[in-house]
Amino acid sequence: MKNFFLAPSVLSANFSKLGEDIQKSIDAGGDIIHFDVMDNHYVENLTFGPMVLQSLRDYKISAKIDVHLMASPVDSLIPKFAKSGADFISVHPESTNHIDRTLRMIKDYGCKAGISLNPGTPINYLDYVMDQLDMITVMSVNPGFGGQTFIPESINKIRQVRQRINESSNNILLEVDGGINIKNISDIALAGANVFVIGSALFGSSDYTFVIRKLRQELKKVHFNLMN
């Protein structure tokens, strides 16, 4: 059976009771916690440091945590987030002078390595690093803020990245980040994604279980279509 993973995004959670809200999203059926790190240099916003990640681990959040580093320079942050409890660390190719070396550093610190592609970033950045990757994230909004609308042209990019993954024969997750909701998740899954970052569509609801159940229902339809 094809596996689909829902990744609640910390960026959209209630910061005044962060641990409780994240645990609530996991209890509702979330699989992976998506942790956006913005440095007010690479993007025009400032969010979380490694101490916040450590606080979630101290709160006994045991789910896998996917740290998305929107920061430049980025290399010095990798050991800090690895030691604070990251399972995945993803970087943007524009944030480092040597993307291969950065990806190897992530693995050296015991984390799975990912690359994030902005809407305007060409996929040829993948050409020489596929063997280093555990995850590829297609940004379906421009990075920096939550609550944005999904960019429709992202569907074609997701298809292209899925083709690259299939041709590589590597076990690489394809994550999509930005503007995902109940109405569009099936199209995104049919294009080839299997990890879905869910922000305001989840945390903007009063019933997380209902939202995740509806998302799963849409993904179940996709699974049925792919199997037939």
Side-chain angles (χ1 to χ4, degrees):
M1 181 175 179
K2 186 177 180 65
N3 289 318
F4 294 118
F5 303 97
L6 298 179
S9 174
V10 172
L11 187 63
S12 297
N14 184 341
F15 296 169
S16 68
K17 47 181 180 179
L18 189 58
E20 178 183 342
D21 212 23
I22 294 303
Q23 186 60 55
K24 182 179 173 184
S25 74
I26 296 167
D27 293 341
D31 301 301
I32 301 168
I33 298 304
H34 189 78
F35 193 93
D36 284 315
V37 178
M38 305 180 190
D39 67 348
N40 198 34
H41 294 285
Y42 183 74
V43 292
E44 295 180 3
N45 198 358
L46 185 65
T47 58
F48 319 107
M51 288 187 294
V52 177
L53 176 57
Q54 184 64 59
S55 74
L56 292 179
R57 290 306 193 197
D58 291 343
Y59 192 82
K60 306 305 180 186
I61 299 296
S62 59
K64 300 286 187 184
I65 295 181
D66 166 29
V67 173
H68 176 196
L69 294 179
M70 289 169 274
S72 181
V74 73
D75 287 359
S76 63
L77 294 175
I78 289 167
K80 297 175 184 177
F81 280 97
K83 292 173 183 177
S84 295
D87 295 287
F88 293 83
I89 296 179
S90 296
V91 299
H92 289 260
E94 304 93 341
S95 69
T96 174
N97 291 326
H98 304 284
I99 185 62
D100 180 76
R101 185 175 67 189
T102 298
L103 294 171
R104 290 178 186 274
M105 180 187 297
I106 293 170
K107 288 183 172 291
D108 287 344
Y109 277 95
C111 297
K112 294 185 180 298
I115 195 169
S116 297
L117 303 175
N118 289 334
T121 301
I123 66 170
N124 60 12
Y125 273 106
L126 302 174
D127 285 347
Y128 301 104
V129 296
M130 292 293 284
D131 62 325
Q132 297 292 331
L133 296 174
D134 300 291
M135 179 184 288
I136 299 170
T137 301
V138 173
M139 295 297 299
S140 46
V141 299
N142 287 296
F145 297 91
Q148 298 184 63
T149 301
F150 183 88
I151 298 173
E153 291 82 0
S154 304
I155 291 291
N156 187 47
K157 193 171 193 177
I158 296 164
R159 291 193 186 105
Q160 293 175 26
V161 174
R162 169 49 60 192
Q163 183 176 352
R164 292 284 187 102
I165 293 172
N166 291 346
E167 290 172 353
S168 76
S169 299
N170 294 323
N171 185 22
I172 302 172
L173 294 170
L174 175 47
E175 179 180 73
V176 177
D177 182 3
I180 298 176
N181 54 46
I182 294 168
K183 294 180 179 179
N184 62 21
I185 193 170
S186 59
D187 290 335
I188 296 166
L190 284 169
N194 52 12
V195 182
F196 309 87
V197 177
I198 311 297
S200 55
L202 177 63
F203 290 102
S205 168
S206 60
D207 190 341
Y208 297 176
T209 301
F210 172 81
V211 172
I212 287 182
R213 183 169 67 247
K214 297 295 286 185
L215 292 167
R216 296 280 187 204
Q217 287 173 355
E218 293 301 310
L219 292 173
K220 187 174 182 179
K221 295 176 188 176
V222 172
H223 174 70
F224 179 80
N225 289 335
L226 291 174
M227 295 296 290
N228 292 279

PDB file of all heavy atoms in Angstrom, residues 160-177:
ATOM      1  N   GLN A 160       7.564  16.415 -12.207  1.00  0.00           N
ATOM      2  CA  GLN A 160       8.931  16.316 -12.702  1.00  0.00           C
ATOM      3  C   GLN A 160       9.869  15.739 -11.639  1.00  0.00           C
ATOM      4  O   GLN A 160      10.733  14.903 -11.937  1.00  0.00           O
ATOM      5  CB  GLN A 160       9.424  17.684 -13.155  1.00  0.00           C
ATOM      6  CG  GLN A 160       8.714  18.231 -14.381  1.00  0.00           C
ATOM      7  CD  GLN A 160       9.174  19.640 -14.714  1.00  0.00           C
ATOM      8  OE1 GLN A 160      10.283  20.044 -14.383  1.00  0.00           O
ATOM      9  NE2 GLN A 160       8.304  20.398 -15.361  1.00  0.00           N
ATOM     10  N   VAL A 161       9.691  16.188 -10.404  1.00  0.00           N
ATOM     11  CA  VAL A 161      10.530  15.672  -9.318  1.00  0.00           C
ATOM     12  C   VAL A 161      10.221  14.197  -9.065  1.00  0.00           C
ATOM     13  O   VAL A 161      11.133  13.382  -8.848  1.00  0.00           O
ATOM     14  CB  VAL A 161      10.360  16.511  -8.041  1.00  0.00           C
ATOM     15  CG1 VAL A 161      11.124  15.882  -6.880  1.00  0.00           C
ATOM     16  CG2 VAL A 161      10.834  17.944  -8.265  1.00  0.00           C
ATOM     17  N   ARG A 162       8.948  13.834  -9.115  1.00  0.00           N
ATOM     18  CA  ARG A 162       8.586  12.423  -8.941  1.00  0.00           C
ATOM     19  C   ARG A 162       9.244  11.570 -10.011  1.00  0.00           C
ATOM     20  O   ARG A 162       9.745  10.465  -9.720  1.00  0.00           O
ATOM     21  CB  ARG A 162       7.054  12.277  -8.997  1.00  0.00           C
ATOM     22  CG  ARG A 162       6.526  10.853  -9.097  1.00  0.00           C
ATOM     23  CD  ARG A 162       7.127   9.906  -8.088  1.00  0.00           C
ATOM     24  NE  ARG A 162       6.879  10.302  -6.718  1.00  0.00           N
ATOM     25  CZ  ARG A 162       7.482   9.765  -5.675  1.00  0.00           C
ATOM     26  NH1 ARG A 162       8.415   8.823  -5.852  1.00  0.00           N
ATOM     27  NH2 ARG A 162       7.205  10.168  -4.449  1.00  0.00           N
ATOM     28  N   GLN A 163       9.295  12.052 -11.243  1.00  0.00           N
ATOM     29  CA  GLN A 163       9.951  11.306 -12.306  1.00  0.00           C
ATOM     30  C   GLN A 163      11.439  11.122 -12.004  1.00  0.00           C
ATOM     31  O   GLN A 163      11.994  10.042 -12.198  1.00  0.00           O
ATOM     32  CB  GLN A 163       9.764  12.014 -13.641  1.00  0.00           C
ATOM     33  CG  GLN A 163      10.366  11.262 -14.816  1.00  0.00           C
ATOM     34  CD  GLN A 163      10.093  11.936 -16.147  1.00  0.00           C
ATOM     35  OE1 GLN A 163       9.333  12.899 -16.233  1.00  0.00           O
ATOM     36  NE2 GLN A 163      10.718  11.435 -17.203  1.00  0.00           N
ATOM     37  N   ARG A 164      12.080  12.192 -11.507  1.00  0.00           N
ATOM     38  CA  ARG A 164      13.502  12.093 -11.147  1.00  0.00           C
ATOM     39  C   ARG A 164      13.708  11.031 -10.054  1.00  0.00           C
ATOM     40  O   ARG A 164      14.659  10.247 -10.113  1.00  0.00           O
ATOM     41  CB  ARG A 164      14.016  13.438 -10.641  1.00  0.00           C
ATOM     42  CG  ARG A 164      14.094  14.543 -11.684  1.00  0.00           C
ATOM     43  CD  ARG A 164      15.294  14.356 -12.601  1.00  0.00           C
ATOM     44  NE  ARG A 164      15.464  15.485 -13.488  1.00  0.00           N
ATOM     45  CZ  ARG A 164      16.351  16.457 -13.323  1.00  0.00           C
ATOM     46  NH1 ARG A 164      17.167  16.420 -12.279  1.00  0.00           N
ATOM     47  NH2 ARG A 164      16.445  17.446 -14.175  1.00  0.00           N
ATOM     48  N   ILE A 165      12.841  11.032  -9.057  1.00  0.00           N
ATOM     49  CA  ILE A 165      12.968  10.059  -7.968  1.00  0.00           C
ATOM     50  C   ILE A 165      12.805   8.638  -8.498  1.00  0.00           C
ATOM     51  O   ILE A 165      13.595   7.748  -8.183  1.00  0.00           O
ATOM     52  CB  ILE A 165      11.939  10.351  -6.855  1.00  0.00           C
ATOM     53  CG1 ILE A 165      12.265  11.679  -6.156  1.00  0.00           C
ATOM     54  CG2 ILE A 165      11.902   9.203  -5.840  1.00  0.00           C
ATOM     55  CD1 ILE A 165      11.208  12.136  -5.176  1.00  0.00           C
ATOM     56  N   ASN A 166      11.775   8.436  -9.319  1.00  0.00           N
ATOM     57  CA  ASN A 166      11.529   7.099  -9.855  1.00  0.00           C
ATOM     58  C   ASN A 166      12.699   6.613 -10.701  1.00  0.00           C
ATOM     59  O   ASN A 166      13.089   5.442 -10.643  1.00  0.00           O
ATOM     60  CB  ASN A 166      10.241   7.093 -10.675  1.00  0.00           C
ATOM     61  CG  ASN A 166       8.997   7.273  -9.818  1.00  0.00           C
ATOM     62  OD1 ASN A 166       9.055   7.144  -8.594  1.00  0.00           O
ATOM     63  ND2 ASN A 166       7.882   7.586 -10.447  1.00  0.00           N
ATOM     64  N   GLU A 167      13.276   7.508 -11.488  1.00  0.00           N
ATOM     65  CA  GLU A 167      14.394   7.134 -12.342  1.00  0.00           C
ATOM     66  C   GLU A 167      15.657   6.832 -11.536  1.00  0.00           C
ATOM     67  O   GLU A 167      16.513   6.061 -11.978  1.00  0.00           O
ATOM     68  CB  GLU A 167      14.672   8.251 -13.353  1.00  0.00           C
ATOM     69  CG  GLU A 167      13.584   8.385 -14.419  1.00  0.00           C
ATOM     70  CD  GLU A 167      13.766   9.615 -15.285  1.00  0.00           C
ATOM     71  OE1 GLU A 167      14.668  10.439 -14.966  1.00  0.00           O
ATOM     72  OE2 GLU A 167      13.009   9.760 -16.265  1.00  0.00           O
ATOM     73  N   SER A 168      15.758   7.433 -10.357  1.00  0.00           N
ATOM     74  CA  SER A 168      16.945   7.229  -9.528  1.00  0.00           C
ATOM     75  C   SER A 168      16.930   5.897  -8.793  1.00  0.00           C
ATOM     76  O   SER A 168      17.969   5.406  -8.356  1.00  0.00           O
ATOM     77  CB  SER A 168      17.075   8.353  -8.489  1.00  0.00           C
ATOM     78  OG  SER A 168      16.157   8.168  -7.428  1.00  0.00           O
ATOM     79  N   SER A 169      15.742   5.339  -8.600  1.00  0.00           N
ATOM     80  CA  SER A 169      15.553   4.090  -7.838  1.00  0.00           C
ATOM     81  C   SER A 169      15.948   4.251  -6.371  1.00  0.00           C
ATOM     82  O   SER A 169      16.144   3.258  -5.670  1.00  0.00           O
ATOM     83  CB  SER A 169      16.345   2.929  -8.465  1.00  0.00           C
ATOM     84  OG  SER A 169      15.899   2.693  -9.785  1.00  0.00           O
ATOM     85  N   ASN A 170      16.098   5.496  -5.902  1.00  0.00           N
ATOM     86  CA  ASN A 170      16.408   5.744  -4.491  1.00  0.00           C
ATOM     87  C   ASN A 170      15.123   5.911  -3.693  1.00  0.00           C
ATOM     88  O   ASN A 170      14.089   6.346  -4.232  1.00  0.00           O
ATOM     89  CB  ASN A 170      17.273   7.000  -4.345  1.00  0.00           C
ATOM     90  CG  ASN A 170      18.642   6.827  -4.955  1.00  0.00           C
ATOM     91  OD1 ASN A 170      19.227   5.748  -4.875  1.00  0.00           O
ATOM     92  ND2 ASN A 170      19.170   7.873  -5.572  1.00  0.00           N
ATOM     93  N   ASN A 171      15.178   5.585  -2.429  1.00  0.00           N
ATOM     94  CA  ASN A 171      14.012   5.693  -1.556  1.00  0.00           C
ATOM     95  C   ASN A 171      13.953   7.113  -0.989  1.00  0.00           C
ATOM     96  O   ASN A 171      14.436   7.378   0.118  1.00  0.00           O
ATOM     97  CB  ASN A 171      14.094   4.652  -0.438  1.00  0.00           C
ATOM     98  CG  ASN A 171      12.850   4.633   0.418  1.00  0.00           C
ATOM     99  OD1 ASN A 171      11.781   5.064  -0.003  1.00  0.00           O
ATOM    100  ND2 ASN A 171      12.991   4.150   1.639  1.00  0.00           N
ATOM    101  N   ILE A 172      13.372   8.020  -1.754  1.00  0.00           N
ATOM    102  CA  ILE A 172      13.336   9.437  -1.398  1.00  0.00           C
ATOM    103  C   ILE A 172      11.884   9.874  -1.229  1.00  0.00           C
ATOM    104  O   ILE A 172      11.051   9.649  -2.116  1.00  0.00           O
ATOM    105  CB  ILE A 172      14.008  10.305  -2.484  1.00  0.00           C
ATOM    106  CG1 ILE A 172      15.458   9.867  -2.697  1.00  0.00           C
ATOM    107  CG2 ILE A 172      13.945  11.786  -2.110  1.00  0.00           C
ATOM    108  CD1 ILE A 172      16.136  10.551  -3.882  1.00  0.00           C
ATOM    109  N   LEU A 173      11.584  10.497  -0.093  1.00  0.00           N
ATOM    110  CA  LEU A 173      10.254  11.054   0.125  1.00  0.00           C
ATOM    111  C   LEU A 173      10.098  12.335  -0.679  1.00  0.00           C
ATOM    112  O   LEU A 173      11.037  13.123  -0.807  1.00  0.00           O
ATOM    113  CB  LEU A 173      10.037  11.351   1.604  1.00  0.00           C
ATOM    114  CG  LEU A 173      10.000  10.147   2.550  1.00  0.00           C
ATOM    115  CD1 LEU A 173      10.030  10.614   4.002  1.00  0.00           C
ATOM    116  CD2 LEU A 173       8.769   9.287   2.292  1.00  0.00           C
ATOM    117  N   LEU A 174       8.887  12.553  -1.207  1.00  0.00           N
ATOM    118  CA  LEU A 174       8.582  13.793  -1.926  1.00  0.00           C
ATOM    119  C   LEU A 174       7.549  14.577  -1.125  1.00  0.00           C
ATOM    120  O   LEU A 174       6.375  14.195  -1.043  1.00  0.00           O
ATOM    121  CB  LEU A 174       8.072  13.489  -3.335  1.00  0.00           C
ATOM    122  CG  LEU A 174       7.603  14.687  -4.183  1.00  0.00           C
ATOM    123  CD1 LEU A 174       8.593  15.838  -4.138  1.00  0.00           C
ATOM    124  CD2 LEU A 174       7.341  14.249  -5.620  1.00  0.00           C
ATOM    125  N   GLU A 175       8.021  15.639  -0.515  1.00  0.00           N
ATOM    126  CA  GLU A 175       7.194  16.483   0.344  1.00  0.00           C
ATOM    127  C   GLU A 175       6.756  17.726  -0.421  1.00  0.00           C
ATOM    128  O   GLU A 175       7.505  18.270  -1.239  1.00  0.00           O
ATOM    129  CB  GLU A 175       8.007  16.883   1.579  1.00  0.00           C
ATOM    130  CG  GLU A 175       7.271  17.779   2.558  1.00  0.00           C
ATOM    131  CD  GLU A 175       8.142  18.121   3.760  1.00  0.00           C
ATOM    132  OE1 GLU A 175       9.090  18.926   3.594  1.00  0.00           O
ATOM    133  OE2 GLU A 175       7.901  17.569   4.842  1.00  0.00           O
ATOM    134  N   VAL A 176       5.535  18.180  -0.148  1.00  0.00           N
ATOM    135  CA  VAL A 176       5.046  19.440  -0.702  1.00  0.00           C
ATOM    136  C   VAL A 176       4.642  20.330   0.461  1.00  0.00           C
ATOM    137  O   VAL A 176       3.968  19.893   1.399  1.00  0.00           O
ATOM    138  CB  VAL A 176       3.868  19.219  -1.670  1.00  0.00           C
ATOM    139  CG1 VAL A 176       3.335  20.550  -2.179  1.00  0.00           C
ATOM    140  CG2 VAL A 176       4.314  18.357  -2.848  1.00  0.00           C
ATOM    141  N   ASP A 177       5.056  21.589   0.376  1.00  0.00           N
ATOM    142  CA  ASP A 177       4.898  22.529   1.494  1.00  0.00           C
ATOM    143  C   ASP A 177       4.294  23.829   0.991  1.00  0.00           C
ATOM    144  O   ASP A 177       4.926  24.560   0.233  1.00  0.00           O
ATOM    145  CB  ASP A 177       6.264  22.784   2.126  1.00  0.00           C
ATOM    146  CG  ASP A 177       6.205  23.715   3.328  1.00  0.00           C
ATOM    147  OD1 ASP A 177       5.095  24.133   3.718  1.00  0.00           O
ATOM    148  OD2 ASP A 177       7.284  24.022   3.887  1.00  0.00           O
TER     149      ASP A 177
END
